[in-house]
Amino acid sequence: QQPVQSPQAVILREGEDAVINCSSSKALYSVHWYRQKHGEAPVFLMILLKGGEQKGHDKISASFNEKKQQSSLYLTASQLSYSGTYFCGITSNNAGNMLTFGGGTRLMVKP
Amino acid sequence: DAGITQSPRHKVTETGTPVTLRCHQTENHRYMYWYRQDPGHGLRLIHYSYGVKDTDKGEVSDGYSVSRSKTEDFLLTLESATSSQTSVYFCAISVLLAGPNEQFFGPGTRLTVL
């Protein structure tokens, strides 16, 4: 079953922060975050594994709450380049890498 | 750059015609995937492959078949295209042999079925 992302869309000013949530009705083993710009391919941001720690690079980080079956992506001090659609993809076990993606969150950063 | 190309990049076809999309990779990665992307649905897995001649179905495989006769090529075939198969199709590869790991996506093929 497809994970649910919220919000569906968000508009920010440069320098503002945003949080994107990804919730699953099934137990999570891994959560993968991707960003896609209009007309381009999705680009990998990070992966979080069950039992792992919060990950991040630069001003983008993510957390994994096993009990809530949820992951959150944190974008701090947003830049214009952060604009795009963010997708979470999940796996429910360690058996493979077949992802089930959420419907996406459209993020627009304005000057 | 994972060296993934897709062809064609754009295609317009008519209902009932067969269509084959090609995904080519240059780095001999074992795992390859076909997704379709539609507004509001994100990316949905059609089929995947874990080696030459080893393929399996994803969540939306009806109406699609795949073949992988060489490590570098993964073909997606619509035997008889329907308007509901109008979509953007992405191929992806995994670098590691197994387990959750990042996927690299090709540039996509925009298919329109009239």
Side-chain angles (χ1 to χ4, degrees), chain A residues 2 29-30 32 34 36 39-42 44 47 49 87 91 93-104, chain B residues 9 31 33 35 37 40-45 48 59 90 94 98-108 110:
Chain A
Q2 189 178 34
Y29 183 82
S30 70
H32 307 223
Y34 288 80
Q36 184 180 30
E40 300 181 6
F44 176 81
I47 179 174
L49 301 179
F87 293 97
T91 67
N93 56 61
N94 187 30
N97 201 29
M98 283 64 73
L99 297 175
T100 302
F101 282 93
Chain B
R9 294 292 314 279
Y31 283 81
Y33 311 81
Y35 293 92
Q37 185 173 39
H41 289 280
L43 294 140
R44 291 182 290 175
L45 183 65
Y48 64 97
E59 62 179 297
F90 285 100
S94 284
N101 62 98
E102 66 180 286
Q103 295 185 14
F104 294 93
F105 285 82
R110 183 173 295 274

Side-chain angles (χ1 to χ4, degrees), chain B residues 8-95:
Chain B
R9 294 292 314 279
H10 301 271
K11 186 170 182 67
V12 179
T13 191
E14 294 192 347
T15 297
T17 60
V19 176
T20 296
L21 308 182
R22 179 183 184 232
C23 177
H24 178 78
Q25 56 145 331
T26 58
E27 300 187 11
N28 291 324
H29 296 302
R30 181 177 170 187
Y31 283 81
M32 299 183 75
Y33 311 81
W34 275 108
Y35 293 92
R36 62 177 289 174
Q37 185 173 39
D38 306 288
H41 289 280
L43 294 140
R44 291 182 290 175
L45 183 65
I46 305 171
H47 281 279
Y48 64 97
S49 170
Y50 44 96
V52 174
K53 298 188 178 169
D54 291 323
T55 65
D56 208 345
K57 296 179 180 180
E59 62 179 297
V60 290
S61 59
D62 286 349
Y64 301 95
S65 62
V66 290
S67 65
R68 193 166 176 201
S69 58
K70 298 186 288 185
T71 300
E72 59 265 35
D73 289 325
F74 192 30
L75 304 181
L76 177 70
T77 297
L78 292 67
E79 301 290 347
S80 178
T82 68
S83 58
S84 65
Q85 293 176 311
T86 292
S87 187
V88 179
Y89 292 85
F90 285 100
C91 171
I93 60 101
S94 284
V95 177

